[in-house]
Amino acid sequence: MRTTAMLAALLLAAGLAQAGQAPVEVKNPWARPGTRGGNSAVYMEIHNAESQADRLVAAGTDVAETVELHETRMEGGMHRMRKVEAIEVPANGRVELRPGGLHVMLIKLNTVLRVGDRFPLILRFERAGRLTVEVVVREQAAGGEHR
Ligand SMILES: [Cu+2]
């Protein structure tokens, strides 16, 4: 299965990454509720304490068949999503994944995601290596809109 292969690749990459003080920190990871077979998206703040920029290059989780890095842009008055190769995390800075902007796209959920549910998400950074975060499912913050 595609997810399994991806997780295996992430685990391999993690084994090669150097262990050390966490240079990258993820705050408030959350996902929108979703139905089995449907889609969802994960949002978070990524902080980088290093003096060099890092990049989020992959993400994986068992709750979805496919996981992609996406950005949403306004085009002709409409929100359009597209896949991106990586999400830049500036040196001594942060990047925010939020509704209407960058997000981790969960495609074809293997399970229902209800408000209050939690699931692990593996993030792979070019420099910082692998990081697993616990994502909580909650309703979208007021004013935000996905798609
Ligand atoms: Cu998306």
Side-chain angles (χ1 to χ4, degrees):
M1 222 172 87
R2 205 169 159 180
T3 306
T4 311
M6 185 181 206
L7 288 176
L10 287 168
L11 287 170
L12 183 65
L16 299 173
Q18 284 181 335
Q21 190 67 26
V24 160
E25 200 184 343
V26 171
K27 292 183 180 170
N28 304 321
W30 67 280
R32 295 182 305 137
T35 54
R36 194 185 174 93
N39 298 341
S40 181
V42 184
Y43 309 102
M44 68 194 79
E45 264 181 41
I46 306 172
H47 294 252
N48 181 10
E50 295 284 283
S51 55
Q52 278 180 282
D54 206 337
R55 298 164 87 219
L56 173 62
V57 291
T61 175
D62 281 337
V63 304
E65 203 157 288
T66 305
V67 182
E68 293 178 352
L69 305 177
H70 277 194
E71 72 172 349
T72 306
R73 290 190 162 199
M74 283 294 278
E75 280 174 24
M78 285 181 63
H79 282 107
R80 287 185 194 278
M81 295 193 301
R82 72 179 182 98
K83 192 176 169 179
V84 293
E85 288 303 309
I87 292 175
E88 292 281 335
V89 192
N92 296 307
R94 65 179 197 112
V95 63
E96 191 180 358
L97 279 61
R98 55 181 169 75
L102 294 162
H103 54 280
V104 175
M105 191 79 194
L106 306 181
I107 299 164
K108 218 173 173 193
L109 295 169
N110 296 316
T111 181
V112 178
L113 293 181
R114 291 185 183 87
V115 171
D117 286 350
R118 292 170 184 271
F119 62 90
L121 178 74
I122 299 169
L123 302 172
R124 187 158 62 83
F125 293 91
E126 202 167 69
R127 290 175 47 79
R130 192 182 73 144
L131 191 67
T132 302
V133 298
E134 190 183 54
V135 178
V136 62
V137 179
R138 63 173 170 86
E139 293 293 349
Q140 196 161 308
E145 204 178 314
H146 186 68
R147 273 178 230 289

